[in-house]
């Protein structure tokens, strides 16, 4: 029985490692999307700053966008996982057990990923010079 416990522990660590790598790769993707968004919206950022938006307002806007983007991906993943699990359970006549705590952990991981990987693009957007941003073409 101890061997089964060891194998279960190893498999759990392996799956955890794969999940961590997936979150990291997804976070890099989010950061790239947000950096492109900052670059494309330079004039908008400059205009907002010129009419009185503070650095923290711009930073919050881009952080919120990153978190919403991550939550959209999380929602798609949860729905896809649920549908796939339901299909497998129905096909094999297994009971489907959905863990609400797993969904909560997935949402928390998505929000954390959005904040961590969205911070640099948000900071970069908030530190732009309004005059230079308005000149940007």
């Amino acid at each position: 029985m101890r061997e089964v416990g060891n194998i279960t522990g190893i498999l759990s660590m392996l799956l955890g490692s794969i999940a961590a790598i997936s979150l990291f790769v997804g976070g890099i993707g989010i950061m790239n999307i947000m950096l492109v968004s900052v670059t494309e919206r330079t004039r908008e950022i400059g205009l907002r700053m010129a009419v009185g938006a503070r650095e923290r307002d711009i930073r919050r806007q881009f952080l919120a966008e990153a978190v919403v983007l991550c939550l959209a991906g999380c929602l798609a993943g949860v729905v896809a996982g649920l549908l796939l699990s339901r299909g497998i359970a129905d096909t094999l006549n297994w009971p489907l057990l959905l863990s609400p705590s797993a969904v909560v952990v997935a949402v928390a991981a998505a929000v954390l990923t959005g904040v961590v990987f969205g911070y640099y693009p948000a900071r970069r957007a908030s530190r732009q010079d309004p005059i230079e941003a308005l000149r940007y073409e």
Side-chain angles (χ1 to χ4, degrees), residues 20-120:
I21 291 168
S22 297
L23 278 174
F24 183 74
V25 170
I28 296 294
I30 294 296
M31 186 185 306
N32 285 334
I33 290 169
M34 294 306 298
L35 284 170
V36 168
S37 177
V38 168
T39 302
E40 289 179 354
R41 296 165 59 190
T42 299
R43 290 180 62 88
E44 172 194 336
I45 295 165
L47 183 62
R48 285 196 63 210
M49 293 178 91
V51 296
R54 294 175 297 226
E55 283 188 18
R56 69 179 174 164
D57 299 327
I58 302 296
R59 195 170 38 249
R60 284 182 185 167
Q61 173 189 347
F62 281 93
L63 273 175
E65 289 177 17
V67 169
V68 167
L69 193 59
C70 287
L71 284 174
C74 178
L75 177 65
V78 167
V79 169
L82 182 61
L83 292 176
L84 188 62
S85 297
R86 170 59 72 191
I88 291 171
D90 288 346
T91 301
L92 299 175
N93 292 323
W94 288 349
L96 176 64
L97 300 173
L98 176 65
S99 171
S101 62
V103 175
V104 169
V105 168
V107 170
V111 169
L112 183 64
T113 301
V115 170
V116 168
F117 288 94
Y119 182 77
Y120 174 70

Side-chain angles (χ1 to χ4, degrees), residues 4-29:
V4 172
N6 288 340
I7 291 172
T8 303
I10 291 170
L11 286 176
S12 294
M13 285 183 10
L14 179 66
L15 287 174
S17 299
I18 291 170
I21 291 168
S22 297
L23 278 174
F24 183 74
V25 170
I28 296 294

